[in-house]
Amino acid sequence: MAMEQNNNTSQPQKAMLFALAFLLSLNHASSMYTVYNPIKPRHSRLLKSAVQRETPTSQLSELWAPLENHGWKPFVESTKPTLPEKSEGYIQVFLDGGLNQQRMGICDAVAVAKILNATLVIPYLEVNPVWRDSSSFSDIFDVDHFIDVLKDDISIVKELPDEYSWSTREYYSIAIRETRIKAAPVHASAHWYLENVLPVLQSYGIAAISPFSHRLSYDNLPMDIQHLRCKVNFQALVFVPHIRTLGDALINRLRYPQQADGEMSPNYIREVTGASASNAGKFVVLHLRFDKDMAAHSACDFGGGKAEKLALAKYRQVMWQGRVVNSQFTDEELRGQGRCPMTPEEIGLLLAALGFDNSTRVYLASHKVYGGEARISTLRQLFPLMEDKKSLTSPEERTLIKGKASVLAALDYYIGVHSDIFISASPGNMHNAMVGHRTYLNLKTIRPNMALMGQLFLNKTMEWPEFQQSVIEGHENRQGQLRLRRPKQSIYTYPAPDCMCQAQ
């Protein structure tokens, strides 16, 4: 087992130093970009036609029609699982990344605890260096529900007993520790955990695995372990009541906009229960995924001129020290390969080409959009009934979620699962998690054909009818149709056949 290297600077100190250097280095370039580079539409010809579009009623009906039954259903256990007679010790995991990456890590942690016959400590969520959110597991997920659903599968404790209270994040950040497992390979096998972690458990009664992200293989695992991961993802992980209640209120306001006219009432529980299902409207959840991290790491050109290029290049250097593979390719090469995230303008053109008209209610699920309202304005031209968390909530409601990136992401996830249609502007953890969850529930999810869209947007002479026809043809089989998981693919993105079975 490889041990961590000692150093004289703690993790919190490193984070503070990094943040300070980061802000100082970007301040000048960012301010240049904001003042001197107004964002203009990049596809004016297509945008003009799209704004004036008219969609036949028959096409709209087909767009909003539910998916046909794909012949698969969620797997249901036929026998009650049993707990091992004796626990080998306590497993701690420290999960980095954003909420959706942490969600997958939680599922894997339960599976690892089962493999080792260990007791799982409620996972520790690391503070994300980008979003700086210190939300804990219990701030986001219903802990009691989590424990209850899994009580027959593994033992779970909210906190370590006093004899192990020394095993904290701070304890592992300042020195080499025998009980920390740092060498867990990405997609490790069950055998690896039995060979490398079980001896630590048996010797010390506890093992802390950090980092723990994508640390369990998707393949060659016993079927009961696969089923357990599915059970965690789709049954055990439920958001805390106040997130679900606020989510229901926002869904209600999207479906019944006439009831949300005027001043927003803070009594959203009453609003949710008072709605009439017979008059419910439909809405699309659009996950933009166009923040500064995404824009910089892609190494693509987004039309902001020299100052924007400078700001993004500087950001890349500070964040990744130049280690961005895409930097060696031209913008045209990256777009032709589908490696550039779509801007708000471009995803708006995609939705318009598919047939969504200007009366479509769109919920914008995103954190901070790079370029702000200036970049979103073209999307708003195409979809004037676009909403987001700010427009749908009262000031009182916003105080419950302000500055809590993980809670905001959970709210977006909840609304995304309950929407009529979900679409993400580019692949990522949110997209992957939502594709899997909505496949499990047989709900419509549009997967953009990134290579096709990149090639279409490179063609500056294409007229709207040809663009629209190409988009429609290129997305015929990308609207939520079930696809079986292939080797090395994520069980959380492709839940069949591991989490589902064919209906009889």
Side-chain angles (χ1 to χ4, degrees):
M1 179 182 70
M3 296 294 179
E4 64 179 305
Q5 293 181 347
N6 196 3
N7 58 74
N8 295 321
T9 307
S10 69
Q11 292 291 338
Q13 288 174 321
K14 286 181 178 179
M16 290 178 62
L17 290 171
F18 167 81
L20 180 61
F22 169 72
L23 291 171
L24 289 173
S25 65
L26 291 183
N27 183 55
H28 179 63
S30 296
S31 61
M32 282 179 60
Y33 166 63
T34 302
V35 176
Y36 299 113
N37 291 273
I39 299 167
K40 298 179 180 179
R42 302 194 73 193
H43 311 286
S44 300
R45 181 199 300 264
L46 294 175
L47 183 63
K48 182 179 179 180
S49 298
V51 169
Q52 300 170 351
R53 71 197 183 282
E54 292 184 4
T55 305
T57 303
S58 58
Q59 187 179 355
L60 277 173
S61 298
E62 186 177 344
L63 265 178
W64 291 110
L67 281 178
E68 293 182 6
N69 192 308
H70 49 52
W72 288 73
K73 62 180 183 180
F75 171 80
V76 178
E77 290 175 321
S78 57
T79 58
K80 184 177 179 179
T82 57
L83 282 172
E85 292 183 6
K86 176 180 175 295
S87 170
E88 296 288 352
Y90 294 94
I91 284 288
Q92 283 181 294
V93 293
F94 299 89
L95 306 176
D96 54 9
L99 176 67
N100 293 293
Q101 186 173 329
Q102 289 172 336
R103 183 188 184 100
M104 298 172 198
I106 293 165
C107 300
D108 287 349
V110 171
V112 167
K114 183 70 172 179
I115 290 168
L116 297 171
N117 286 337
T119 297
L120 178 68
V121 184
I122 290 295
Y124 178 91
L125 308 186
E126 299 274 21
V127 177
N128 189 297
V130 176
W131 310 126
R132 301 177 194 175
D133 186 350
S134 58
S135 297
S136 67
F137 186 105
S138 61
D139 291 327
I140 301 166
F141 298 108
D142 188 326
V143 175
D144 291 332
H145 177 85
F146 180 75
I147 294 173
D148 184 62
V149 170
L150 300 171
K151 66 180 184 296
D152 296 323
D153 297 282
I154 65 167
S155 296
I156 304 174
V157 294
K158 296 179 181 179
E159 297 178 350
L160 285 167
D162 290 343
E163 62 185 296
Y164 294 109
S165 60
W166 48 264
S167 185
T168 64
R169 187 70 188 84
E170 292 71 27
Y171 174 77
Y172 293 110
S173 68
I174 59 175
I176 296 172
R177 307 297 186 186
E178 293 290 332
T179 51
R180 180 183 177 186
I181 313 295
K182 192 180 180 182
V186 174
H187 304 313
S189 67
H191 179 74
W192 188 92
Y193 283 96
L194 292 170
E195 287 286 309
N196 294 273
V197 182
L198 185 57
V200 177
L201 278 176
Q202 292 171 335
S203 297
Y204 299 97
I206 188 169
I209 310 175
S210 177
F212 191 84
S213 177
H214 307 296
R215 302 292 157 168
L216 183 63
S217 172
Y218 295 125
D219 303 307
N220 303 315
L221 290 172
M223 192 51 67
D224 65 314
I225 297 297
Q226 297 289 65
H227 289 163
L228 181 56
R229 295 164 103 175
C230 305
K231 185 176 181 178
V232 180
N233 195 32
F234 301 122
Q235 297 177 44
L237 284 177
V238 170
F239 296 125
V240 291
H242 79 82
I243 291 177
R244 301 200 308 270
T245 305
L246 182 56
D248 286 334
L250 269 57
I251 291 166
N252 185 61
R253 292 165 193 169
L254 287 162
R255 294 206 184 281
Y256 310 97
Q258 65 281 0
Q259 297 183 10
D261 290 340
E263 187 175 347
M264 203 72 69
S265 167
N267 190 1
Y268 47 78
I269 297 177
R270 178 175 54 77
E271 293 178 17
V272 173
T273 57
S276 170
S278 61
N279 297 320
K282 298 183 183 297
F283 68 95
V284 176
V285 166
L286 167 59
H287 182 231
L288 270 185
R289 201 171 181 244
F290 196 75
D291 53 38
K292 195 164 190 174
D293 263 32
M294 184 71 182
H297 195 271
S298 71
C300 299
D301 179 8
F302 299 106
K306 291 183 179 179
E308 180 176 270
K309 287 183 179 180
L310 174 63
L312 293 178
K314 186 71 174 177
Y315 190 96
R316 271 196 300 277
Q317 186 61 38
V318 172
M319 290 291 286
W320 302 288
Q321 289 76 50
R323 297 190 299 272
V324 175
V325 176
N326 285 357
S327 301
Q328 61 187 291
F329 298 100
T330 65
D331 180 73
E332 289 76 14
E333 289 172 331
L334 293 171
R335 290 189 181 278
Q337 297 167 17
R339 293 163 71 177
C340 291
M342 280 187 281
T343 64
E345 175 189 5
E346 290 169 344
I347 191 67
L349 290 170
L350 166 58
L351 286 170
L354 287 172
F356 293 100
D357 64 12
N358 60 10
S359 68
T360 302
R361 296 193 70 79
V362 176
Y363 174 81
L364 202 58
S366 284
H367 194 59
K368 292 182 179 179
V369 175
Y370 182 52
E373 182 58 35
R375 202 150 237 146
I376 298 175
S377 61
T378 48
L379 177 60
R380 204 177 295 280
Q381 275 185 266
L382 294 166
F383 298 99
L385 301 183
M386 189 168 67
E387 306 278 8
D388 56 24
K389 288 178 283 291
K390 185 175 181 180
S391 68
L392 287 173
T393 53
S394 67
E396 293 86 351
E397 290 165 346
R398 286 196 289 277
T399 60
L400 300 174
I401 57 178
K402 185 178 180 181
K404 300 176 181 178
S406 293
V407 174
L408 294 171
L411 190 61
D412 284 341
Y413 188 99
Y414 185 83
I415 296 171
V417 167
H418 291 84
S419 65
D420 298 282
I421 297 172
F422 177 87
I423 181 170
S424 184
S426 59
N429 287 324
M430 173 73 162
H431 166 89
N432 294 339
M434 197 59 62
V435 166
H437 208 141
R438 290 176 65 87
T439 296
Y440 186 78
L441 299 173
N442 195 37
L443 298 174
K444 187 169 283 190
T445 310
I446 298 173
R447 296 182 299 107
N449 186 331
M450 299 298 291
L452 170 67
M453 298 311 299
Q455 292 159 16
L456 293 179
F457 288 129
L458 283 172
N459 188 337
K460 299 302 181 182
T461 62
M462 182 175 285
E463 299 291 344
W464 179 253
E466 184 184 354
F467 175 83
Q468 185 174 32
Q469 186 64 29
S470 297
V471 169
I472 291 172
E473 290 177 356
H475 291 83
E476 282 181 355
N477 297 310
R478 302 179 69 89
Q479 300 194 26
Q481 294 86 350
L482 183 141
R483 296 187 297 165
L484 296 179
R485 189 179 73 86
R486 293 180 294 188
K488 297 184 179 180
Q489 287 185 328
S490 169
I491 192 175
Y492 308 116
T493 308
Y494 304 99
D498 305 86
C499 306
M500 308 179 74
C501 55
Q502 288 183 297
Q504 298 298 319

